[in-house]
Amino acid sequence: MTTQTFGQIIDGVALSSQLRADVAQRIVALKARGVTPGLAVILVGEDPASAVYVRNKVKGCLDTGVHSVFEKYEATLTEADLLTRIAALNVDPSIHGILVQMPLPKHIDPLKVIEAISTAKDVDGFATLSAGELMTGQAGFRPCTPYGCMKLIESTGIDLRGKHAVVIGRSNTVGKPMAMLLLQANATVTVCHSATPDIGFHTRQADVVVAAVGKRNVLTADMVKPGAIVIDVGMNRNDEGKLCGDVDFAGVKAVASHITPVPGGVGPMTITMLLVNTLEAAERAAI
Ligand code: GUN
């Protein structure tokens, strides 16, 4: 008989640092072949949260040996000028990944910008072609947040084959690609969203729950099957202004076998997977 354990924390900081050490090692090997992975990070405007994310992305590059080019533009930058800049980066051999931080100012169409990035350099994995590659099982770039969630699940050592996974949220950047990755790992996948009448009905049957809504307490203990794995993608603030996820962590921790905290779970993994994608873009270009 195996005994079930509850409330094991999946440490995204520790897993990130392991993966980043591996990235740094692979970069040393690539540099020995004369190639340094390069990431262009573009920020348009003054959104304070974006400024923090971008700073952390550039720092991640610095820490692992990725060459980063950070370009910051005024909020008045025209869409045409941004597209011209992306076209130049698409053909710059020192740049293997291009990331345009979202959201963009209202006068710039994000879809046009995302589609302008060369698929070979789409390290965010947001473009239609990358999404199509993911859906059809081809080796494109996986969006960083769901890719990081998969690594967190993998780190529990539990095989997803035949397991029931429930994703709450259907965004193009997290929910939908998350469902595709879980499917690729042979899970049976259910996607719940704002029009699902009783989310708990589905999550109570789930071996894995990924909460990616952007609202506090979307998942509470009564909605979780004992022994399930719970991955919390949310980044919210509670009434005291403290960072919290979509999951009622204290309650769910007592029921779940494994759970990611916020902060310190999915968050650090997103940037780590961006570094992994950038390295892979450079490795592919070096072949
Ligand atoms: N804004 C918030 N998260 C992301 C991300 O992962 N990539 C980009 N490009 N913009 C974001």
Side-chain angles (χ1 to χ4, degrees):
M1 200 180 85
T2 53
T3 49
Q4 175 73 60
T5 55
F6 291 98
Q8 288 192 57
I9 305 292
I10 311 177
D11 185 344
V13 176
L15 183 59
S16 266
S17 72
Q18 265 175 39
L19 292 174
R20 287 188 197 200
D22 177 55
V23 165
Q25 238 175 32
R26 279 164 69 189
I27 289 175
V28 169
L30 198 58
K31 280 183 177 168
R33 292 165 56 198
V35 178
T36 299
L39 175 69
V41 179
I42 298 179
L43 176 64
V44 185
E46 304 297 333
D47 180 59
S50 291
V52 174
Y53 288 139
V54 159
R55 201 181 319 130
N56 288 334
K57 286 170 185 177
V58 171
K59 184 177 181 304
C61 289
L62 207 65
D63 291 347
T64 47
V66 172
H67 164 63
S68 70
V69 175
F70 174 44
E71 300 186 8
K72 183 176 181 319
Y73 296 102
E74 300 289 320
T76 51
L77 179 76
T78 66
E79 183 181 275
D81 282 347
L82 180 54
L83 293 175
T84 303
R85 186 62 198 125
I86 290 170
L89 290 166
N90 278 342
V91 294
D92 181 339
S94 73
I95 295 298
H96 305 94
I98 301 170
L99 181 140
V100 180
Q101 187 67 22
M102 302 292 160
L104 287 165
K106 296 247 177 306
H107 65 278
I108 301 178
D109 178 356
L111 202 61
K112 254 195 210 169
V113 170
I114 290 167
E115 298 301 327
I117 297 168
S118 153
T119 308
K121 300 189 180 187
D122 179 27
V123 286
D124 257 332
F126 288 171
T128 304
L129 250 161
S130 300
E133 285 176 337
L134 175 60
M135 183 162 208
T136 53
Q138 296 174 73
F141 291 112
R142 286 158 274 200
C144 303
T145 299
Y147 191 9
C149 292
M150 291 302 290
K151 291 284 175 193
L152 290 163
I153 296 169
E154 256 175 55
S155 76
T156 66
I158 293 165
D159 183 8
L160 283 168
R161 172 176 286 275
K163 298 287 196 303
H164 185 193
V166 172
V167 180
I168 316 174
R170 54 174 160 178
S171 68
N172 288 335
T173 50
V174 184
K176 285 184 208 165
M178 188 74 232
M180 287 301 140
L181 289 169
L182 289 162
L183 206 52
Q184 226 170 55
N186 297 307
T188 301
V189 182
T190 300
V191 181
C192 297
H193 47 78
S194 50
T196 304
D198 183 358
I199 292 175
F201 170 79
H202 301 281
T203 55
R204 274 190 287 274
Q205 301 170 46
D207 303 300
V208 178
V209 181
V210 180
V213 176
K215 223 170 76 182
R216 283 161 57 192
N217 295 331
V218 159
L219 191 76
T220 48
D222 57 300
M223 298 166 72
V224 178
K225 179 165 91 172
I229 299 173
V230 175
I231 306 293
D232 191 349
V233 182
M235 280 267 245
N236 313 299
R237 298 264 169 199
N238 67 14
D239 294 334
E240 290 90 54
K242 258 182 67 187
L243 205 59
C244 67
D246 290 354
V247 175
D248 168 26
F249 181 78
V252 172
K253 183 174 178 283
V255 184
S257 66
H258 300 79
I259 184 166
T260 61
V262 177
V266 174
M269 292 298 290
T270 296
I271 297 179
T272 299
M273 301 327 290
L274 171 69
L275 300 169
V276 169
N277 278 349
T278 304
L279 166 61
E280 282 177 8
E283 285 175 342
R284 288 176 202 183
I287 290 169

PDB file of all heavy atoms in Angstrom, residues 213-246:
ATOM      1  N   VAL A 213      -6.910  32.194 -14.155  1.00  0.00           N
ATOM      2  CA  VAL A 213      -8.029  33.105 -14.396  1.00  0.00           C
ATOM      3  C   VAL A 213      -7.629  34.561 -14.139  1.00  0.00           C
ATOM      4  O   VAL A 213      -7.976  35.464 -14.901  1.00  0.00           O
ATOM      5  CB  VAL A 213      -9.232  32.733 -13.485  1.00  0.00           C
ATOM      6  CG1 VAL A 213     -10.370  33.728 -13.643  1.00  0.00           C
ATOM      7  CG2 VAL A 213      -9.717  31.321 -13.809  1.00  0.00           C
ATOM      8  N   GLY A 214      -6.869  34.778 -13.057  1.00  0.00           N
ATOM      9  CA  GLY A 214      -6.548  36.152 -12.667  1.00  0.00           C
ATOM     10  C   GLY A 214      -7.560  36.705 -11.685  1.00  0.00           C
ATOM     11  O   GLY A 214      -7.866  37.901 -11.695  1.00  0.00           O
ATOM     12  N   LYS A 215      -8.092  35.818 -10.814  1.00  0.00           N
ATOM     13  CA  LYS A 215      -9.066  36.224  -9.790  1.00  0.00           C
ATOM     14  C   LYS A 215      -8.832  35.383  -8.537  1.00  0.00           C
ATOM     15  O   LYS A 215      -8.614  34.170  -8.644  1.00  0.00           O
ATOM     16  CB  LYS A 215     -10.486  35.966 -10.321  1.00  0.00           C
ATOM     17  CG  LYS A 215     -11.463  37.081 -10.030  1.00  0.00           C
ATOM     18  CD  LYS A 215     -12.773  36.905 -10.783  1.00  0.00           C
ATOM     19  CE  LYS A 215     -13.665  35.846 -10.173  1.00  0.00           C
ATOM     20  NZ  LYS A 215     -14.917  35.643 -10.930  1.00  0.00           N
ATOM     21  N   ARG A 216      -8.874  36.019  -7.386  1.00  0.00           N
ATOM     22  CA  ARG A 216      -8.625  35.291  -6.128  1.00  0.00           C
ATOM     23  C   ARG A 216      -9.699  34.240  -5.850  1.00  0.00           C
ATOM     24  O   ARG A 216     -10.857  34.426  -6.210  1.00  0.00           O
ATOM     25  CB  ARG A 216      -8.642  36.281  -4.967  1.00  0.00           C
ATOM     26  CG  ARG A 216      -7.421  37.099  -4.839  1.00  0.00           C
ATOM     27  CD  ARG A 216      -7.714  38.319  -3.985  1.00  0.00           C
ATOM     28  NE  ARG A 216      -8.220  37.954  -2.659  1.00  0.00           N
ATOM     29  CZ  ARG A 216      -8.761  38.821  -1.811  1.00  0.00           C
ATOM     30  NH1 ARG A 216      -8.865  40.089  -2.138  1.00  0.00           N
ATOM     31  NH2 ARG A 216      -9.182  38.429  -0.636  1.00  0.00           N
ATOM     32  N   ASN A 217      -9.285  33.190  -5.159  1.00  0.00           N
ATOM     33  CA  ASN A 217     -10.215  32.163  -4.643  1.00  0.00           C
ATOM     34  C   ASN A 217     -11.097  31.515  -5.710  1.00  0.00           C
ATOM     35  O   ASN A 217     -12.238  31.140  -5.428  1.00  0.00           O
ATOM     36  CB  ASN A 217     -11.089  32.750  -3.526  1.00  0.00           C
ATOM     37  CG  ASN A 217     -10.262  33.140  -2.313  1.00  0.00           C
ATOM     38  OD1 ASN A 217      -9.211  32.536  -2.066  1.00  0.00           O
ATOM     39  ND2 ASN A 217     -10.700  34.134  -1.584  1.00  0.00           N
ATOM     40  N   VAL A 218     -10.563  31.388  -6.903  1.00  0.00           N
ATOM     41  CA  VAL A 218     -11.265  30.668  -7.972  1.00  0.00           C
ATOM     42  C   VAL A 218     -11.333  29.176  -7.624  1.00  0.00           C
ATOM     43  O   VAL A 218     -12.273  28.481  -8.002  1.00  0.00           O
ATOM     44  CB  VAL A 218     -10.511  30.893  -9.310  1.00  0.00           C
ATOM     45  CG1 VAL A 218     -10.823  29.823 -10.333  1.00  0.00           C
ATOM     46  CG2 VAL A 218     -10.836  32.273  -9.865  1.00  0.00           C
ATOM     47  N   LEU A 219     -10.312  28.703  -6.896  1.00  0.00           N
ATOM     48  CA  LEU A 219     -10.264  27.301  -6.492  1.00  0.00           C
ATOM     49  C   LEU A 219     -10.151  27.222  -4.971  1.00  0.00           C
ATOM     50  O   LEU A 219      -9.185  27.726  -4.390  1.00  0.00           O
ATOM     51  CB  LEU A 219      -9.070  26.593  -7.156  1.00  0.00           C
ATOM     52  CG  LEU A 219      -9.069  25.077  -7.029  1.00  0.00           C
ATOM     53  CD1 LEU A 219     -10.081  24.449  -8.003  1.00  0.00           C
ATOM     54  CD2 LEU A 219      -7.685  24.500  -7.299  1.00  0.00           C
ATOM     55  N   THR A 220     -11.163  26.598  -4.353  1.00  0.00           N
ATOM     56  CA  THR A 220     -11.163  26.442  -2.895  1.00  0.00           C
ATOM     57  C   THR A 220     -11.116  24.949  -2.551  1.00  0.00           C
ATOM     58  O   THR A 220     -11.333  24.090  -3.419  1.00  0.00           O
ATOM     59  CB  THR A 220     -12.416  27.108  -2.282  1.00  0.00           C
ATOM     60  OG1 THR A 220     -13.555  26.684  -3.034  1.00  0.00           O
ATOM     61  CG2 THR A 220     -12.328  28.629  -2.337  1.00  0.00           C
ATOM     62  N   ALA A 221     -10.840  24.651  -1.277  1.00  0.00           N
ATOM     63  CA  ALA A 221     -10.577  23.265  -0.857  1.00  0.00           C
ATOM     64  C   ALA A 221     -11.717  22.310  -1.229  1.00  0.00           C
ATOM     65  O   ALA A 221     -11.464  21.166  -1.631  1.00  0.00           O
ATOM     66  CB  ALA A 221     -10.336  23.232   0.649  1.00  0.00           C
ATOM     67  N   ASP A 222     -12.956  22.783  -1.126  1.00  0.00           N
ATOM     68  CA  ASP A 222     -14.120  21.914  -1.417  1.00  0.00           C
ATOM     69  C   ASP A 222     -14.200  21.536  -2.897  1.00  0.00           C
ATOM     70  O   ASP A 222     -14.984  20.660  -3.272  1.00  0.00           O
ATOM     71  CB  ASP A 222     -15.414  22.640  -1.015  1.00  0.00           C
ATOM     72  CG  ASP A 222     -15.553  23.977  -1.723  1.00  0.00           C
ATOM     73  OD1 ASP A 222     -14.657  24.834  -1.544  1.00  0.00           O
ATOM     74  OD2 ASP A 222     -16.511  24.159  -2.491  1.00  0.00           O
ATOM     75  N   MET A 223     -13.389  22.197  -3.752  1.00  0.00           N
ATOM     76  CA  MET A 223     -13.428  21.933  -5.192  1.00  0.00           C
ATOM     77  C   MET A 223     -12.321  20.975  -5.633  1.00  0.00           C
ATOM     78  O   MET A 223     -12.164  20.713  -6.833  1.00  0.00           O
ATOM     79  CB  MET A 223     -13.280  23.254  -5.972  1.00  0.00           C
ATOM     80  CG  MET A 223     -14.400  24.252  -5.721  1.00  0.00           C
ATOM     81  SD  MET A 223     -13.974  25.904  -6.324  1.00  0.00           S
ATOM     82  CE  MET A 223     -14.083  25.667  -8.089  1.00  0.00           C
ATOM     83  N   VAL A 224     -11.518  20.490  -4.668  1.00  0.00           N
ATOM     84  CA  VAL A 224     -10.319  19.718  -5.027  1.00  0.00           C
ATOM     85  C   VAL A 224     -10.425  18.282  -4.529  1.00  0.00           C
ATOM     86  O   VAL A 224     -10.782  18.040  -3.365  1.00  0.00           O
ATOM     87  CB  VAL A 224      -9.052  20.404  -4.443  1.00  0.00           C
ATOM     88  CG1 VAL A 224      -7.804  19.596  -4.750  1.00  0.00           C
ATOM     89  CG2 VAL A 224      -8.914  21.827  -4.993  1.00  0.00           C
ATOM     90  N   LYS A 225     -10.096  17.348  -5.415  1.00  0.00           N
ATOM     91  CA  LYS A 225     -10.069  15.930  -5.037  1.00  0.00           C
ATOM     92  C   LYS A 225      -8.844  15.673  -4.152  1.00  0.00           C
ATOM     93  O   LYS A 225      -7.739  16.140  -4.495  1.00  0.00           O
ATOM     94  CB  LYS A 225      -9.983  15.083  -6.326  1.00  0.00           C
ATOM     95  CG  LYS A 225      -9.921  13.580  -6.080  1.00  0.00           C
ATOM     96  CD  LYS A 225     -10.200  12.809  -7.344  1.00  0.00           C
ATOM     97  CE  LYS A 225      -8.925  12.502  -8.120  1.00  0.00           C
ATOM     98  NZ  LYS A 225      -9.194  11.593  -9.259  1.00  0.00           N
ATOM     99  N   PRO A 226      -8.997  14.961  -3.047  1.00  0.00           N
ATOM    100  CA  PRO A 226      -7.823  14.685  -2.208  1.00  0.00           C
ATOM    101  C   PRO A 226      -6.695  14.040  -3.023  1.00  0.00           C
ATOM    102  O   PRO A 226      -6.929  13.088  -3.770  1.00  0.00           O
ATOM    103  CB  PRO A 226      -8.375  13.724  -1.140  1.00  0.00           C
ATOM    104  CG  PRO A 226      -9.835  14.076  -1.052  1.00  0.00           C
ATOM    105  CD  PRO A 226     -10.241  14.445  -2.461  1.00  0.00           C
ATOM    106  N   GLY A 227      -5.503  14.613  -2.897  1.00  0.00           N
ATOM    107  CA  GLY A 227      -4.338  14.059  -3.592  1.00  0.00           C
ATOM    108  C   GLY A 227      -4.070  14.655  -4.961  1.00  0.00           C
ATOM    109  O   GLY A 227      -3.147  14.240  -5.653  1.00  0.00           O
ATOM    110  N   ALA A 228      -4.853  15.644  -5.364  1.00  0.00           N
ATOM    111  CA  ALA A 228      -4.631  16.264  -6.683  1.00  0.00           C
ATOM    112  C   ALA A 228      -3.397  17.172  -6.667  1.00  0.00           C
ATOM    113  O   ALA A 228      -2.968  17.644  -5.604  1.00  0.00           O
ATOM    114  CB  ALA A 228      -5.865  17.072  -7.084  1.00  0.00           C
ATOM    115  N   ILE A 229      -2.851  17.410  -7.867  1.00  0.00           N
ATOM    116  CA  ILE A 229      -1.771  18.392  -8.039  1.00  0.00           C
ATOM    117  C   ILE A 229      -2.425  19.717  -8.422  1.00  0.00           C
ATOM    118  O   ILE A 229      -3.272  19.746  -9.326  1.00  0.00           O
ATOM    119  CB  ILE A 229      -0.795  17.967  -9.162  1.00  0.00           C
ATOM    120  CG1 ILE A 229      -0.131  16.628  -8.827  1.00  0.00           C
ATOM    121  CG2 ILE A 229       0.245  19.042  -9.432  1.00  0.00           C
ATOM    122  CD1 ILE A 229       0.711  16.070  -9.991  1.00  0.00           C
ATOM    123  N   VAL A 230      -2.035  20.801  -7.761  1.00  0.00           N
ATOM    124  CA  VAL A 230      -2.645  22.103  -8.047  1.00  0.00           C
ATOM    125  C   VAL A 230      -1.572  23.114  -8.449  1.00  0.00           C
ATOM    126  O   VAL A 230      -0.610  23.343  -7.713  1.00  0.00           O
ATOM    127  CB  VAL A 230      -3.445  22.614  -6.821  1.00  0.00           C
ATOM    128  CG1 VAL A 230      -3.972  24.020  -7.067  1.00  0.00           C
ATOM    129  CG2 VAL A 230      -4.602  21.666  -6.511  1.00  0.00           C
ATOM    130  N   ILE A 231      -1.756  23.685  -9.636  1.00  0.00           N
ATOM    131  CA  ILE A 231      -0.811  24.671 -10.169  1.00  0.00           C
ATOM    132  C   ILE A 231      -1.544  26.011 -10.260  1.00  0.00           C
ATOM    133  O   ILE A 231      -2.592  26.113 -10.908  1.00  0.00           O
ATOM    134  CB  ILE A 231      -0.317  24.264 -11.581  1.00  0.00           C
ATOM    135  CG1 ILE A 231       0.268  22.838 -11.584  1.00  0.00           C
ATOM    136  CG2 ILE A 231       0.683  25.293 -12.119  1.00  0.00           C
ATOM    137  CD1 ILE A 231       1.546  22.645 -10.815  1.00  0.00           C
ATOM    138  N   ASP A 232      -0.972  27.020  -9.632  1.00  0.00           N
ATOM    139  CA  ASP A 232      -1.631  28.329  -9.516  1.00  0.00           C
ATOM    140  C   ASP A 232      -0.899  29.369 -10.372  1.00  0.00           C
ATOM    141  O   ASP A 232       0.215  29.779 -10.049  1.00  0.00           O
ATOM    142  CB  ASP A 232      -1.617  28.751  -8.040  1.00  0.00           C
ATOM    143  CG  ASP A 232      -2.503  29.954  -7.775  1.00  0.00           C
ATOM    144  OD1 ASP A 232      -2.963  30.593  -8.743  1.00  0.00           O
ATOM    145  OD2 ASP A 232      -2.725  30.264  -6.583  1.00  0.00           O
ATOM    146  N   VAL A 233      -1.537  29.771 -11.471  1.00  0.00           N
ATOM    147  CA  VAL A 233      -0.905  30.730 -12.391  1.00  0.00           C
ATOM    148  C   VAL A 233      -1.256  32.179 -12.010  1.00  0.00           C
ATOM    149  O   VAL A 233      -0.652  33.120 -12.496  1.00  0.00           O
ATOM    150  CB  VAL A 233      -1.345  30.433 -13.856  1.00  0.00           C
ATOM    151  CG1 VAL A 233      -0.664  31.372 -14.839  1.00  0.00           C
ATOM    152  CG2 VAL A 233      -1.026  28.987 -14.238  1.00  0.00           C
ATOM    153  N   GLY A 234      -2.222  32.346 -11.120  1.00  0.00           N
ATOM    154  CA  GLY A 234      -2.726  33.696 -10.796  1.00  0.00           C
ATOM    155  C   GLY A 234      -1.687  34.604 -10.162  1.00  0.00           C
ATOM    156  O   GLY A 234      -0.742  34.155  -9.509  1.00  0.00           O
ATOM    157  N   MET A 235      -1.854  35.894 -10.403  1.00  0.00           N
ATOM    158  CA  MET A 235      -1.011  36.929  -9.779  1.00  0.00           C
ATOM    159  C   MET A 235      -1.945  38.054  -9.382  1.00  0.00           C
ATOM    160  O   MET A 235      -2.222  38.953 -10.189  1.00  0.00           O
ATOM    161  CB  MET A 235      -0.002  37.472 -10.799  1.00  0.00           C
ATOM    162  CG  MET A 235       1.183  36.588 -10.998  1.00  0.00           C
ATOM    163  SD  MET A 235       2.493  37.097  -9.904  1.00  0.00           S
ATOM    164  CE  MET A 235       3.684  37.631 -11.103  1.00  0.00           C
ATOM    165  N   ASN A 236      -2.454  37.982  -8.165  1.00  0.00           N
ATOM    166  CA  ASN A 236      -3.428  38.977  -7.708  1.00  0.00           C
ATOM    167  C   ASN A 236      -2.934  39.591  -6.404  1.00  0.00           C
ATOM    168  O   ASN A 236      -1.930  39.160  -5.850  1.00  0.00           O
ATOM    169  CB  ASN A 236      -4.785  38.287  -7.466  1.00  0.00           C
ATOM    170  CG  ASN A 236      -5.171  37.379  -8.621  1.00  0.00           C
ATOM    171  OD1 ASN A 236      -5.324  37.841  -9.740  1.00  0.00           O
ATOM    172  ND2 ASN A 236      -5.301  36.081  -8.353  1.00  0.00           N
ATOM    173  N   ARG A 237      -3.664  40.584  -5.930  1.00  0.00           N
ATOM    174  CA  ARG A 237      -3.372  41.185  -4.619  1.00  0.00           C
ATOM    175  C   ARG A 237      -4.552  40.909  -3.701  1.00  0.00           C
ATOM    176  O   ARG A 237      -5.698  41.025  -4.130  1.00  0.00           O
ATOM    177  CB  ARG A 237      -3.193  42.702  -4.749  1.00  0.00           C
ATOM    178  CG  ARG A 237      -2.022  43.093  -5.637  1.00  0.00           C
ATOM    179  CD  ARG A 237      -0.771  43.370  -4.837  1.00  0.00           C
ATOM    180  NE  ARG A 237       0.377  43.484  -5.733  1.00  0.00           N
ATOM    181  CZ  ARG A 237       1.632  43.357  -5.325  1.00  0.00           C
ATOM    182  NH1 ARG A 237       1.903  43.108  -4.055  1.00  0.00           N
ATOM    183  NH2 ARG A 237       2.626  43.465  -6.172  1.00  0.00           N
ATOM    184  N   ASN A 238      -4.277  40.564  -2.448  1.00  0.00           N
ATOM    185  CA  ASN A 238      -5.378  40.400  -1.500  1.00  0.00           C
ATOM    186  C   ASN A 238      -5.721  41.751  -0.852  1.00  0.00           C
ATOM    187  O   ASN A 238      -5.129  42.773  -1.206  1.00  0.00           O
ATOM    188  CB  ASN A 238      -5.065  39.312  -0.468  1.00  0.00           C
ATOM    189  CG  ASN A 238      -3.920  39.698   0.457  1.00  0.00           C
ATOM    190  OD1 ASN A 238      -3.516  40.859   0.511  1.00  0.00           O
ATOM    191  ND2 ASN A 238      -3.406  38.726   1.178  1.00  0.00           N
ATOM    192  N   ASP A 239      -6.659  41.744   0.102  1.00  0.00           N
ATOM    193  CA  ASP A 239      -7.121  43.004   0.708  1.00  0.00           C
ATOM    194  C   ASP A 239      -5.992  43.757   1.409  1.00  0.00           C
ATOM    195  O   ASP A 239      -6.041  44.972   1.551  1.00  0.00           O
ATOM    196  CB  ASP A 239      -8.267  42.730   1.695  1.00  0.00           C
ATOM    197  CG  ASP A 239      -9.494  42.207   0.966  1.00  0.00           C
ATOM    198  OD1 ASP A 239      -9.640  42.513  -0.238  1.00  0.00           O
ATOM    199  OD2 ASP A 239     -10.297  41.484   1.594  1.00  0.00           O
ATOM    200  N   GLU A 240      -4.969  43.018   1.845  1.00  0.00           N
ATOM    201  CA  GLU A 240      -3.827  43.676   2.515  1.00  0.00           C
ATOM    202  C   GLU A 240      -2.758  44.107   1.511  1.00  0.00           C
ATOM    203  O   GLU A 240      -1.701  44.577   1.896  1.00  0.00           O
ATOM    204  CB  GLU A 240      -3.184  42.735   3.549  1.00  0.00           C
ATOM    205  CG  GLU A 240      -4.030  42.460   4.783  1.00  0.00           C
ATOM    206  CD  GLU A 240      -4.939  41.251   4.599  1.00  0.00           C
ATOM    207  OE1 GLU A 240      -4.444  40.171   4.249  1.00  0.00           O
ATOM    208  OE2 GLU A 240      -6.163  41.405   4.772  1.00  0.00           O
ATOM    209  N   GLY A 241      -3.034  43.887   0.232  1.00  0.00           N
ATOM    210  CA  GLY A 241      -2.076  44.277  -0.804  1.00  0.00           C
ATOM    211  C   GLY A 241      -0.994  43.252  -1.038  1.00  0.00           C
ATOM    212  O   GLY A 241      -0.036  43.484  -1.774  1.00  0.00           O
ATOM    213  N   LYS A 242      -1.124  42.092  -0.384  1.00  0.00           N
ATOM    214  CA  LYS A 242      -0.108  41.030  -0.560  1.00  0.00           C
ATOM    215  C   LYS A 242      -0.382  40.244  -1.834  1.00  0.00           C
ATOM    216  O   LYS A 242      -1.537  39.991  -2.191  1.00  0.00           O
ATOM    217  CB  LYS A 242      -0.152  40.071   0.646  1.00  0.00           C
ATOM    218  CG  LYS A 242       0.974  40.329   1.641  1.00  0.00           C
ATOM    219  CD  LYS A 242       0.941  39.346   2.802  1.00  0.00           C
ATOM    220  CE  LYS A 242       1.245  37.904   2.392  1.00  0.00           C
ATOM    221  NZ  LYS A 242       1.045  36.963   3.519  1.00  0.00           N
ATOM    222  N   LEU A 243       0.703  39.802  -2.492  1.00  0.00           N
ATOM    223  CA  LEU A 243       0.580  39.005  -3.712  1.00  0.00           C
ATOM    224  C   LEU A 243      -0.107  37.667  -3.401  1.00  0.00           C
ATOM    225  O   LEU A 243       0.252  37.002  -2.432  1.00  0.00           O
ATOM    226  CB  LEU A 243       1.991  38.754  -4.250  1.00  0.00           C
ATOM    227  CG  LEU A 243       2.143  38.490  -5.746  1.00  0.00           C
ATOM    228  CD1 LEU A 243       1.610  39.654  -6.561  1.00  0.00           C
ATOM    229  CD2 LEU A 243       3.607  38.232  -6.089  1.00  0.00           C
ATOM    230  N   CYS A 244      -1.093  37.295  -4.200  1.00  0.00           N
ATOM    231  CA  CYS A 244      -1.717  35.981  -4.025  1.00  0.00           C
ATOM    232  C   CYS A 244      -2.157  35.446  -5.384  1.00  0.00           C
ATOM    233  O   CYS A 244      -2.231  36.195  -6.359  1.00  0.00           O
ATOM    234  CB  CYS A 244      -2.892  36.051  -3.060  1.00  0.00           C
ATOM    235  SG  CYS A 244      -4.279  37.007  -3.682  1.00  0.00           S
ATOM    236  N   GLY A 245      -2.452  34.170  -5.432  1.00  0.00           N
ATOM    237  CA  GLY A 245      -2.829  33.538  -6.696  1.00  0.00           C
ATOM    238  C   GLY A 245      -4.329  33.436  -6.870  1.00  0.00           C
ATOM    239  O   GLY A 245      -5.095  34.172  -6.245  1.00  0.00           O
ATOM    240  N   ASP A 246      -4.726  32.489  -7.730  1.00  0.00           N
ATOM    241  CA  ASP A 246      -6.156  32.218  -7.963  1.00  0.00           C
ATOM    242  C   ASP A 246      -6.685  31.187  -6.972  1.00  0.00           C
ATOM    243  O   ASP A 246      -7.893  30.966  -6.888  1.00  0.00           O
ATOM    244  CB  ASP A 246      -6.356  31.646  -9.376  1.00  0.00           C
ATOM    245  CG  ASP A 246      -6.108  32.678 -10.458  1.00  0.00           C
ATOM    246  OD1 ASP A 246      -5.893  33.856 -10.125  1.00  0.00           O
ATOM    247  OD2 ASP A 246      -6.139  32.295 -11.648  1.00  0.00           O
TER     248      ASP A 246
END
